[in-house]
């Protein structure tokens, strides 16, 4: 990541296993040395109340937003108390929609923790975003959305949905081989997704391994 010299680090959730303050502090300090802003959103293992103390830029009171002209990067909180799968209330979706409509950015990237489409891995598709069609309906109405990105699934995933890039990021801790019925450790180890967001709305992306 340091060699990549990112303009923004997007943390797509499950930043901590135990949601301890010390674990968030450790990640925040390490990422702070990159010199790039960090937009963080919570996953099912996180405690948003603790996490937000260490990652001020995030969906702590409505969507977390970061402008990278001509792009708007949005981070949403798809977690629910005590839930492994993802959930958005109607209020969440309306605030998401209002944030998009209130932006003048030409292109929008939407990030959340839970996959809004199946990733073909039954062990984690059991815990996808619930009622994804409610979320997808808002995406379909907003023609500036170019990319939807998530974590949670522990392997890289990419697909195209109506011209929008749908991207699952691998884990920076432990990954599974894709399309397995059970979690099957990928011995290639930790990795993360890089993205280049073009001025024309194009998204170039790939996966980088730990070196
Ligand atoms: Fe997760």
């Amino acid at each position: 990541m340091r060699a990549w010299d990112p303009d923004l680090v997007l943390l797509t959730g499950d930043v901590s296993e135990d949601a301890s303050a010390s674990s968030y502090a450790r990640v925040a300090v390490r990422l702070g040395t990159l010199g790039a802003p960090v937009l963080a959103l919570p996953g099912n293992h996180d405690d948003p109340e603790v996490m937000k103390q260490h990652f001020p830029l995030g969906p702590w009171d409505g969507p977390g937003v970061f402008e990278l002209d001509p792009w708007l990067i949005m981070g949403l909180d798809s977690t629910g108390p005590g839930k492994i799968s993802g959930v958005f209330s109607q209020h969440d979706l309306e605030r998401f929609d209002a944030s998009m409509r209130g932006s003048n950015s030409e292109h929008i990237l939407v990030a959340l923790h839970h996959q809004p489409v199946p990733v073909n891995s039954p062990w984690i598709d059991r815990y996808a975003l619930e009622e994804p069609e409610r979320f997808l309906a808002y995406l379909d109405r907003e023609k500036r959305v170019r990319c939807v990105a998530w974590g949670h699934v522990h392997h890289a995933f990419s697909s195209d949905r109506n011209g929008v890039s749908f991207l699952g990021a691998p884990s920076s801790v432990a990954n599974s081989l894709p399309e397995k019925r059970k979690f099957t450790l990928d011995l290639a180890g930790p990795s993360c997704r890089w993205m280049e967001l073009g001025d024309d709305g194009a998204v170039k992306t790939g996966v980088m391994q730990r070196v």
Side-chain angles (χ1 to χ4, degrees):
M1 288 170 64
R2 199 173 305 284
W4 180 251
D5 191 19
D7 296 313
L8 175 71
V9 176
L10 183 56
L11 285 184
T12 49
D14 288 351
V15 174
S16 173
E17 176 74 19
D18 63 2
S20 62
S22 60
S23 64
Y24 292 121
R26 183 167 178 242
V27 176
V29 167
R30 292 295 279 288
L31 288 180
T33 66
L34 291 174
V38 176
L39 174 57
L41 54 88
N44 48 292
H45 287 283
D46 292 309
D47 182 334
E49 291 302 314
V50 182
M51 187 175 170
K52 71 182 182 184
Q53 307 298 323
H54 301 274
F55 298 97
L57 186 56
W60 314 126
D61 183 25
V65 295
F66 189 83
E67 284 190 42
L68 268 175
D69 187 43
W71 282 78
L72 179 72
I73 317 298
M74 303 186 69
L76 308 180
D77 180 356
S78 60
T79 67
K83 289 185 72 72
I84 302 176
S85 52
V87 61
F88 284 130
S89 68
Q90 189 58 34
H91 182 59
D92 292 334
L93 292 172
E94 287 171 5
R95 289 208 292 189
F96 164 50
D97 191 43
S99 286
M100 290 196 292
R101 284 188 283 110
S103 167
N104 293 321
S105 296
E106 287 178 53
H107 313 298
I108 299 174
L109 183 155
V110 181
L112 69 166
H113 182 64
H114 296 85
Q115 71 271 40
V117 294
V119 297
N120 309 316
S121 296
W123 68 272
I124 197 66
D125 279 335
R126 293 172 58 202
Y127 302 114
L129 178 67
E130 295 178 2
E131 300 182 288
E133 64 283 356
R134 295 170 56 237
F135 171 66
L136 296 172
Y138 281 94
L139 296 181
D140 291 341
R141 284 207 291 270
E142 175 51 73
K143 301 305 179 194
R144 294 173 296 163
V145 175
R146 313 288 179 223
C147 183
V148 178
W150 59 86
H152 191 50
V153 299
H154 292 262
H155 62 74
F157 173 88
S158 63
S159 68
D160 177 282
R161 180 181 177 277
N162 302 334
V164 179
S165 293
F166 273 47
L167 301 172
S171 170
S172 56
V173 178
N175 285 296
S176 174
L177 296 171
E179 303 192 9
K180 296 293 184 185
R181 194 169 59 82
K182 294 182 176 179
F183 183 98
T184 306
L185 187 66
D186 181 350
L187 296 175
S191 56
C192 65
R193 180 175 288 288
W194 60 264
M195 295 186 199
E196 276 185 17
L197 306 178
D199 288 349
D200 60 355
V203 178
K204 289 184 185 172
T205 186
V207 167
M208 64 173 89
Q209 299 293 139
R210 185 172 64 179
V211 291

